[in-house]
Amino acid sequence: MSATAPLVITNGRVVLPDGGIVPGAVRCVGGTIAAAGAGVAPEDGDLVHDAKGQLIAPGLIDYGVFATDKPAFHFGGITRAALMPDQNPPLDVPARVRFAASSGKPDFWVHPLAAATRELEGEKLAEIALMRDAGARGIATGRKWIGDSGTMLRLCQYAAMLDMTVCTHAEDAGLVGSAVATAGEMATRLGLPAAPAQAEALAITRDLAIAEMAGCAIHFRTVTTSAGLALVRQAKARGQRVTAGVTPAYFMLSDLATAQFRTFAHLSPPLRSEADRKAVIAAIADGTIDIVASGHDPRGPEDKRLPFTDSEPGMAGAETLLPLTLTLVRDKVIDLGRAFALLASNPARLLGVNSGKLEVGAQADIAVIDPERPWIVDSMKMAASAGNTPFDKQPVQGRVVALFKGGAQVGLKPA
Amino acid sequence: MATPTFIYPEGSAAFPHRGLVGIAGLAPHEITYLLDEAEQWVEMNRQAKKTRDLLGGLTIINAFFENSTRTLLSFEIAGKRLGADVVNMAVATSSVKKGETLIDTAMTLNAMHADAIVIRHASSGAVQLIADKVDCPVLNAGDGQHEHPTQALLDALTIRHAKRNFNGLVVTICGDILHSRVARSNILCLTSLGAEVRVCAPPALMPEAIGQMNVEVFHDFGKALKGADVVMMLRLQLERMQGQFIPSPREYRHLYGLTLDRLATAQPDALVMHPGPMNRGVEIDSNVADLVGRSQITTQVEMGVALRMACLEVLTRRARAVEGWA
């Protein structure tokens, strides 16, 4: 299908930029949105796609993924993803950033996050300005926290000068050590090396102070504890430029999921207590959390079929991001409009890309979604390069039925 | 010899588990069943002829991925006394050192048609992982900081020989609880049998929320010892410590070493136990470790062989087509 012929997605319920949902259509011309909402109709010569009454929503923007296996993202309705620098080799030089930035085009756009430090070791600053000009849309400390406060301050000052956001991993390295679980009854019974949940709040406290000192915008990729979320909430109330993200695992699961040493539930940060899980839900409801992302990290048996302590953390999440977030809508924690703010417009704003909203002039990245359609997560049948999901065999609702990137339809595996 | 106090279900219903991965998941009567089964082997091991060819022709593999002296020997002797062919896999010279994954090693052992595999591994959960992949019974000889079920069972057998009954018995476990699989298995086993368990360690060596395992938590050794019927000392697992957990061994002894003076605050007939290896002069003084009539440390080793014979005999009944266990 040519992207040059105007396309109209008709007969749907359109998710408007203000979060409202109206029956209507979206018209795309030249890869951008020309009109959206009620009263939009095809003109002569337009291509027409009938949404059959389903939701017409912005394509999802997944902030902070570790792999870009396209079929999984397309299955999940994700048209853009911000790629973590934790690649092999890491995204710490401009050439690798430039390659990553073009790796998914045309039907999936990858926005690389530049490694904050060389080799992600937390010591020497990487060539951030060169990487920005090669296509990096932010800076990330990677899977680890920068332990040295002096390095973190210089990083934040540099980021402020370049007007880039620093995305950090909030776990105090000294407390965490080689822990693979959150200290508590579960970790004690399993005999897993564990760190107190307060490791998160400690890291956030320091990083907020440093970011404020440097005048830099800071994003905490996954905030998972009650104490950590309270700190973000207070900083926002003070007017500090701070955003927070989370992945569905932390509002769906607690550390009980690690029973029987299930390595698919080995995540970083580790799964928390039931009280923290509820705190994450409350923080999504009250706006403390800005972004829900997949944290997509497909891992094969060589990384997961190991004793828990020796296994690698991470889950393949791109396919389940949308349906798991929609559980919050069904539970009346948030409404549909807010769900797409968490999944599309907020990450778009953080990345500074003209997408994530169905508004005139924005990139025509559009997902047609049946929010009720039931299906069962099956780790053996996933589109991702590996099926490491803690949600295996779980029934979910919400499926993408058609996907458009820049006004051109993307082929999906038949549902 | 303690007499069985319980009428067990018939056949395999008495112990329906395929292997022995942990004390967690065992019902109290399944624990006492193994203890009762061990009594005959305690008796036999004290005779001049201490072999019985029950497991003749069976192959038992001891796969120890972590160093061990007493547990490996104990399992080897237990298997041989029952007539099994026991082979030990030495990790130092095996393909594990060449980068083979644990699962591949397990599948290799499985393909050799072992009739039981005894595993020790430095990672919590490693034994469960293997047990899920192989066809024969798997016995956990210690996995990381998780469980060491035969140690807990042999400790229970030792206590039962001296005290007869677990109900209301106060057992104080003192030492590096955080890194100890022996502590976890003993807590599960002794509380399941009705004993009152106290754990004592400095905060850095005490796992979080251990109180939720039905134990009373102490940092003051004096208080923890008061009125105890059994004192179980654990060594500092320096090899598992990353960073500094205590200032020095002598300071540790100052606060947590079992001395004759401290022992005097426990019950006058309190038992002294230690799973070994001991660090004499650190967690336990020599004159306590060697205290005749009170120290059970060599009895524990003796019970260990008998208890492991019972475990191997019970868990291979299916393979031997024992009536009621097919």
Side-chain angles (χ1 to χ4, degrees):
Chain A
M1 188 183 291
S2 164
T4 51
L7 166 80
V8 187
I9 304 169
T10 60
N11 188 27
R13 291 174 290 138
V14 181
V15 179
L16 297 175
D18 65 3
I21 302 197
V22 296
V26 177
R27 184 162 191 268
C28 317
V29 178
T32 59
I33 293 170
V40 175
E43 294 173 17
D44 281 351
D46 284 0
L47 291 166
V48 175
H49 180 96
D50 184 353
K52 296 177 181 157
Q54 302 299 356
L55 217 51
I56 304 175
L60 273 47
I61 301 179
D62 195 353
Y63 192 101
V65 303
F66 293 91
T68 54
D69 40 344
K70 203 186 279 190
F73 288 92
H74 282 166
F75 182 101
I78 300 160
T79 46
R80 296 168 186 253
L83 178 64
M84 292 294 285
D86 310 71
Q87 306 297 310
N88 187 15
L91 304 182
D92 63 350
V93 294
R96 291 182 201 140
V97 168
R98 188 172 293 113
F99 177 78
S102 62
S103 61
K105 287 181 180 177
D107 53 354
F108 176 59
W109 282 20
V110 175
H111 300 298
L113 300 175
T117 56
R118 287 170 201 258
E119 302 284 328
L120 288 166
E121 287 190 342
E123 286 159 15
K124 296 180 185 138
L125 292 191
E127 296 167 329
I128 294 166
L130 287 173
M131 287 193 278
R132 177 193 64 176
D133 295 343
R137 286 279 176 180
I139 306 164
T141 64
R143 293 182 193 275
K144 286 190 247 161
W145 188 63
I146 292 180
D148 186 289
S149 302
T151 304
M152 186 65 180
L153 176 60
R154 286 187 288 279
L155 168 70
C156 286
Q157 289 168 331
Y158 205 66
M161 174 188 77
L162 298 172
D163 197 22
M164 292 174 83
T165 301
V166 173
C167 168
T168 177
H169 178 87
E171 277 189 294
D172 182 275
L175 270 187
V176 169
S178 58
V180 295
T182 304
E185 184 185 352
M186 202 65 204
T188 292
R189 284 185 184 272
L190 293 174
L192 294 175
Q198 288 83 347
E200 181 176 280
L202 271 179
I204 290 177
T205 303
R206 188 208 68 174
D207 286 354
L208 281 173
I210 287 178
E212 196 161 34
M213 217 187 305
C216 139
I218 190 156
H219 174 67
F220 296 100
R221 190 171 63 84
T222 38
V223 187
T224 59
T225 64
S226 171
L229 290 162
L231 290 164
V232 173
R233 193 175 286 124
Q234 290 155 16
K236 285 187 165 189
R238 285 197 306 272
Q240 187 168 354
R241 284 199 294 160
V242 54
T243 48
V246 79
T247 73
Y250 301 97
F251 61 74
M252 299 293 293
L253 305 173
S254 72
D255 59 358
L256 288 176
T258 60
Q260 308 291 325
F261 300 99
R262 278 192 286 263
T263 57
F264 283 5
H266 179 190
L267 306 178
S268 173
L271 286 170
R272 307 300 194 184
S273 68
E274 180 63 14
D276 282 331
R277 183 184 80 86
K278 288 180 176 152
V280 169
I281 293 174
I284 291 171
D286 74 10
T288 303
I289 287 178
D290 305 274
I291 289 174
V292 178
S294 74
H296 189 63
D297 198 359
R299 297 265 184 188
E302 66 282 5
D303 288 332
K304 286 292 190 183
R305 210 169 62 181
L306 294 169
F308 196 96
T309 321
D310 307 332
S311 67
E312 294 290 337
M315 64 169 271
E319 285 149 271
T320 48
L321 173 62
L322 174 70
L324 295 177
T325 304
L326 289 178
T327 62
L328 297 172
V329 178
R330 261 186 294 282
D331 294 345
K332 305 209 183 324
V333 175
I334 52 172
D335 62 21
L336 257 182
R338 167 105 173 110
F340 288 99
L342 291 162
L343 293 169
S345 63
N346 289 350
R349 192 175 331 117
L350 192 60
L351 288 167
V353 296
N354 184 20
S355 176
K357 277 183 186 177
L358 301 182
E359 66 186 0
V360 175
Q363 281 274 312
D365 303 344
I366 301 166
V368 179
I369 294 165
D370 179 348
E372 307 300 332
R373 180 177 309 182
W375 58 286
I376 291 171
V377 181
D378 185 343
S379 69
M380 303 302 287
K381 291 186 192 160
M382 283 169 65
S385 62
N388 52 312
T389 173
F391 300 101
D392 189 29
K393 303 293 181 289
Q394 189 157 315
V396 292
Q397 276 179 277
R399 186 96 172 231
V400 174
V401 291
L403 189 64
F404 301 84
K405 176 76 194 76
Q409 186 160 8
V410 174
L412 289 183
K413 241 175 50 174
Chain B
M1 174 181 157
T3 45
T5 53
F6 189 87
I7 307 300
Y8 295 103
E10 298 224 344
S12 62
F15 196 84
H17 307 279
R18 276 191 68 232
L20 182 65
V21 174
I23 300 294
L26 296 188
H29 75 265
E30 292 164 359
I31 294 173
T32 55
Y33 183 73
L34 292 176
L35 302 185
D36 288 342
E37 286 292 311
E39 297 291 1
Q40 58 186 308
W41 308 121
V42 175
E43 288 294 305
M44 189 185 82
N45 287 341
R46 288 173 178 170
Q47 310 302 316
K49 179 182 171 355
K50 40 187 171 284
T51 56
R52 201 168 143 204
D53 193 21
L54 269 179
L55 308 192
L58 298 194
T59 306
I60 297 170
I61 300 179
N62 290 326
F64 278 53
F65 297 85
E66 196 183 50
N67 285 334
S68 162
T69 309
R70 73 195 62 222
T71 308
L72 177 58
L73 264 180
S74 183
F75 267 110
E76 185 171 356
I77 291 169
K80 285 183 171 164
R81 291 223 172 127
L82 291 169
D85 298 318
V86 182
V87 288
N88 296 333
M89 192 192 83
V91 168
T93 53
S94 80
S95 42
V96 176
K97 286 273 178 206
K98 301 170 192 161
E100 186 176 72
T101 68
L102 183 58
I103 291 285
D104 287 336
T105 308
M107 296 317 286
T108 303
L109 299 181
N110 193 46
M112 292 174 182
H113 298 293
D115 297 291
I117 304 178
V118 181
I119 300 165
R120 167 169 288 194
H121 197 280
S123 293
S124 304
V127 176
Q128 176 75 57
L129 186 69
I130 295 178
D132 291 343
K133 299 284 174 197
V134 301
D135 303 316
C136 68
V138 167
L139 289 87
N140 184 355
D143 63 327
Q145 307 169 20
H146 177 225
E147 282 227 44
H148 191 352
T150 57
Q151 179 70 45
L153 292 168
L154 75 87
D155 287 342
L157 188 60
T158 306
I159 294 171
R160 197 172 76 166
H161 270 245
K163 298 284 182 191
R164 304 270 155 193
N165 200 337
F166 291 95
N167 271 330
L169 206 66
V170 176
V171 182
T172 299
I173 306 175
C174 178
D176 183 356
I177 310 286
L178 178 68
H179 296 103
S180 177
R181 53 198 175 209
V182 173
R184 283 169 179 79
S185 285
N186 259 310
I187 288 168
L188 292 167
C189 183
L190 292 168
T191 54
S192 176
L193 294 173
E196 194 181 301
V197 178
R198 301 172 179 173
V199 291
C200 179
L205 296 176
M206 187 72 87
E208 185 144 318
I210 185 101
Q212 280 161 286
M213 292 181 77
N214 288 322
V215 297
E216 206 178 339
V217 179
F218 291 83
H219 301 304
D220 181 330
F221 193 25
K223 288 181 183 158
L225 275 176
K226 206 166 180 191
D229 298 297
V230 178
V231 185
M232 202 179 275
M233 300 304 294
L234 304 173
R235 78 187 167 93
L236 293 170
Q237 304 217 28
L238 297 169
E239 73 279 13
R240 292 189 205 280
M241 292 187 193
Q242 293 185 334
Q244 204 190 11
F245 285 73
I246 52 151
S248 71
R250 74 170 188 174
E251 179 147 317
Y252 181 80
R253 177 185 179 273
H254 179 63
L255 293 176
Y256 296 101
L258 187 60
T259 60
L260 274 180
D261 285 348
R262 285 211 170 104
L263 182 62
T265 64
Q267 292 289 357
D269 60 347
L271 305 178
V272 174
M273 299 175 70
H274 195 303
M278 278 187 286
N279 291 312
R280 287 170 182 261
V282 184
E283 74 271 8
I284 190 164
D285 277 10
S286 276
N287 53 10
V288 178
D290 302 334
L291 197 59
V292 177
R294 302 284 292 282
S295 171
Q296 303 294 310
I297 295 166
T298 51
T299 311
Q300 288 173 271
V301 178
E302 182 196 7
M303 295 298 152
V305 175
L307 184 277
R308 286 170 180 129
M309 289 169 79
C311 292
L312 290 171
E313 193 273 316
V314 169
L315 291 172
T316 53
R317 283 181 189 170
R318 235 167 241 111
R320 293 182 288 122
V322 173
E323 202 187 331
W325 292 74

